[in-house]
Amino acid sequence: MIDLKEKVAVVTGGARGIGRAIALRLAEAGADVVVSDILDEAAQVTADQVRQMGRRSLAVAVDVSKMEQAEHLIATTIAEFGRIDIMVNNAGITRDNLLMRMNEDEWDAVIAVNLKGAFNGIKVVTRPMMKQRSGKIINMASVVGIIGNAGQANYAASKAGLIGLTKSVAKELGSRNIQVNAVAPGYIETDMTRDLPEAAKETFQTLIPLKRSGQVRDVADAVLFLASPLSDYITGQVLHVDGGMVM
């Protein structure tokens, strides 16, 4: 059984979906959790759920694309809990469109949140983790960052960039006992995927050897593993949680 007691985790985009599942899964294992999201009220709901599990929690409204807000998030975390052990860069958005129709705002918004937001999150935790000489940084990538997807050039580019960022930072921070890894979910049942056309859902199902979609708990379990001492000799890796879609 994984024990994260006395560990402090920050989960961005933790108000709902995969982020909420991650926050609750880490709390189940004993971690105190800071829930960060631009959706303040929903983040408070997740934080309340963590507290109901007997763990300490704090909700912080943050736009991760803004460096000063990322700095505020970590400063608030350290002021409240005294340390940070686990950073989960999960915040992400989509602005899907075919490239020929995609405008600059759709491109910039996705890159700003999904890629620059993760850069901001990593940068602001690096110094405190280096002082501790320990830490786990987990970035939420996607299978489309590996295989691409029509109509998601911005999203795929942000997630592919995140994989490169993960590997580069893992090389920089490894000597300080900080592990940096990514999780690449496939077709996971969330509010975002429920809105897909039925034809698109059926196409995804044909690509999955396990012949079923994933659940948010599947992703949260992978994050829990990477956040735990079980992954102490794993860094710079991309853990696929996709039912075999990409192999």
Side-chain angles (χ1 to χ4, degrees):
M1 186 175 180
I2 294 173
D3 185 358
L4 296 181
K5 287 186 177 68
E6 299 183 3
K7 300 294 185 182
V8 176
V10 173
V11 181
T12 69
R16 60 187 182 183
I18 289 174
R20 174 177 288 179
I22 291 168
L24 298 179
R25 191 70 183 97
L26 295 177
E28 278 181 24
D32 297 323
V33 183
V34 175
V35 181
S36 159
D37 205 288
I38 201 165
L39 301 171
D40 187 30
E41 290 185 7
Q44 293 287 354
V45 170
T46 303
D48 286 342
Q49 290 178 306
V50 171
R51 285 189 284 266
Q52 289 166 11
M53 298 165 68
R55 307 312 309 165
R56 295 183 297 167
S57 188
L58 189 66
V60 184
V62 170
D63 177 350
V64 296
S65 70
K66 310 295 185 186
M67 177 62 83
E68 65 275 11
Q69 294 193 33
E71 291 172 339
H72 168 70
L73 170 63
I74 300 311
T76 301
T77 299
I78 293 174
E80 182 74 18
F81 299 107
R83 60 185 294 116
I84 176 169
D85 302 285
I86 302 156
M87 180 71 187
V88 183
N89 291 301
N90 169 74
I93 62 170
T94 57
R95 296 289 185 272
D96 296 350
N97 216 337
L98 293 173
L99 183 66
M100 65 182 295
R101 297 174 182 164
M102 186 176 293
N103 60 47
E104 252 188 303
D105 288 342
E106 291 169 331
W107 175 271
D108 290 346
V110 171
I111 297 299
V113 174
N114 299 7
L115 184 54
K116 185 172 184 286
F119 162 78
N120 290 343
I122 294 169
K123 186 170 176 62
V124 295
V125 299
T126 293
R127 195 174 299 277
M129 285 185 174
M130 286 177 68
K131 287 181 179 178
Q132 292 170 187
R133 297 195 69 84
S134 67
K136 304 278 189 176
I137 298 173
I138 302 154
N139 300 318
M140 198 56 57
S142 169
V143 294
V144 304
I146 299 156
I147 63 174
N149 195 32
Q152 288 193 309
N154 48 3
Y155 187 77
S158 72
K159 297 302 186 178
L162 187 53
I163 291 170
L165 176 63
T166 298
K167 292 177 178 292
S168 298
V169 176
K171 291 184 176 181
E172 292 184 17
L173 299 183
S175 64
R176 298 302 181 99
N177 192 35
I178 300 169
Q179 293 83 47
V180 187
N181 293 288
V183 174
Y187 179 56
I188 307 297
E189 289 187 15
T190 64
D191 291 340
M192 190 183 298
T193 57
R194 284 190 198 100
D195 292 336
L196 290 172
E198 286 303 317
K201 294 179 184 179
E202 291 172 7
T203 298
F204 276 124
Q205 295 284 1
T206 64
L207 299 173
I208 303 171
L210 290 184
K211 298 304 177 187
R212 63 177 178 84
S213 54
Q215 304 298 315
V216 292
R217 177 79 176 207
D218 296 318
V219 181
D221 283 344
V223 172
L224 175 62
F225 166 70
L226 292 175
S228 79
L230 297 177
S231 67
D232 280 355
Y233 200 57
I234 299 172
T235 197
Q237 303 304 306
V238 182
L239 178 54
H240 296 240
V241 185
D242 62 6
M245 184 188 293
V246 177
M247 36 169 116

